[in-house]
Amino acid sequence: DAKTTQPPSMDCAEGRAANLPCNHSTISGNEYVYWYRQIHSQGPQYIIHGLKNNETNEMASLIITEDRKSSTLILPHATLRDTAVYYCIVATGANNLFFGTGTRLTVIP
Amino acid sequence: GAVVSQHPSRVICKSGTSVKIECRSLDFQATTMFWYRQFPKKSLMLMATSNEGSKATYEQGVEKDKFLINHASLTLSTLTVTSAHPEDSSFYICSASREPGPYEQYFGPGTRLTVT
């Protein structure tokens, strides 16, 4: 599976949009981009995934560049409960998820 | 959404004893279940993948005789840490997927194991 590169940490003001970048320059045509997050001492939580098109759900939006070499997860209105480690993973499917080090997002009051 | 539970949430055991952790998919049938381990301030490391009724596939470096995985039904998988040692102390997390393909894994809340 392709590797991803994420910044180790980011801060975001409460109520503002949090934009979390991810580089995946070696992604293959059949690999999806998945985003999960892990709040301290809990199991990871699925956020969103996509292949080529931008995706949106009740939690977040996923913007994938046209060449698919990078993506951005957008939390439109960050709250304190969004403080977590966010993992960007590229994989062919749910059976091939390998977690990297992720981005530690801290939402500041 | 799909719910995965784990039991127990925390366990403390003495060195040399065995500990069993259960993982259940509560509202769906899981074709595949996964077991991860996470040390403090580290990311999740996949230990093994199991399909119902067949032997688990272990990742490189994970001792299959030490970490026994049983996936007896489409809703239950168990991980038994045999002859536990303090270095086995970790956060163990299971997950399940409904079917192969571009779908999500649903994660349990994790089990904190402390071996004294």
Side-chain angles (χ1 to χ4, degrees), chain A residues 30 32 34 36 38-47 49 87 89 91-102 104, chain B residues 31-32 34 36 38 41-46 49 51 59 91 93 97 99-110 112:
Chain A
N30 63 343
Y32 290 74
Y34 289 83
Y36 282 80
Q38 186 178 25
I39 296 170
H40 182 62
S41 294
Q42 297 182 24
Q45 177 188 23
Y46 166 80
I47 301 173
H49 77 282
Y87 296 98
I89 303 166
T92 54
N95 289 7
N96 304 100
L97 300 182
F98 287 91
F99 287 76
T101 54
R104 182 172 298 278
Chain B
T31 58
T32 307
F34 308 83
Y36 295 82
Q38 186 174 33
K41 299 188 186 302
K42 299 293 185 182
S43 189
L44 284 77
M45 296 299 295
L46 180 67
T49 302
N51 294 297
E59 294 300 303
F91 192 48
I93 308 169
S97 64
E99 53 192 304
Y103 306 107
E104 53 266 41
Q105 285 184 24
Y106 302 97
F107 285 81
R112 176 79 55 194

Side-chain angles (χ1 to χ4, degrees), chain A residues 21 23 29 54 68-69 71 80 82 101 106:
Chain A
N23 286 323
N54 297 337
R68 303 213 317 129
K69 293 184 177 182
S71 61
L80 298 180
D82 292 322
T101 54
T106 303

Side-chain angles (χ1 to χ4, degrees), chain B residues 38-85:
Chain B
Q38 186 174 33
F39 292 107
K41 299 188 186 302
K42 299 293 185 182
S43 189
L44 284 77
M45 296 299 295
L46 180 67
M47 299 174 68
T49 302
S50 73
N51 294 297
E52 183 258 345
S54 60
K55 289 184 179 180
T57 302
Y58 290 81
E59 294 300 303
Q60 192 172 10
V62 178
E63 299 173 59
K64 62 180 181 181
D65 295 328
K66 180 170 183 61
F67 299 99
L68 302 178
I69 292 172
N70 183 283
H71 192 164
S73 76
L74 284 172
T75 59
L76 173 65
S77 177
T78 60
L79 168 68
T80 301
V81 183
T82 63
S83 186
H85 291 287

Side-chain angles (χ1 to χ4, degrees), chain A:
Chain A
D1 289 326
K3 292 184 178 179
T4 62
T5 303
Q6 298 178 252
S9 63
M10 292 181 64
D11 292 341
C12 177
E14 187 179 17
R16 304 297 293 269
N19 297 283
L20 292 93
C22 180
N23 286 323
H24 31 79
S25 58
T26 59
I27 191 170
S28 300
N30 63 343
E31 288 181 315
Y32 290 74
V33 181
Y34 289 83
W35 283 84
Y36 282 80
R37 73 180 182 184
Q38 186 178 25
I39 296 170
H40 182 62
S41 294
Q42 297 182 24
Q45 177 188 23
Y46 166 80
I47 301 173
I48 199 167
H49 77 282
L51 183 63
K52 287 190 285 189
N53 298 324
N54 297 337
E55 302 287 342
T56 296
N57 62 21
E58 64 279 4
M59 289 184 69
S61 294
L62 173 60
I63 308 298
I64 303 174
T65 58
E66 193 168 342
D67 63 8
R68 303 213 317 129
K69 293 184 177 182
S70 65
S71 61
T72 301
L73 179 74
I74 301 173
L75 308 179
H77 306 286
T79 70
L80 298 180
R81 287 180 294 181
D82 292 322
T83 292
V85 178
Y86 287 76
Y87 296 98
C88 168
I89 303 166
V90 292
T92 54
N95 289 7
N96 304 100
L97 300 182
F98 287 91
F99 287 76
T101 54
T103 295
R104 182 172 298 278
L105 175 69
T106 303
V107 180
I108 302 168

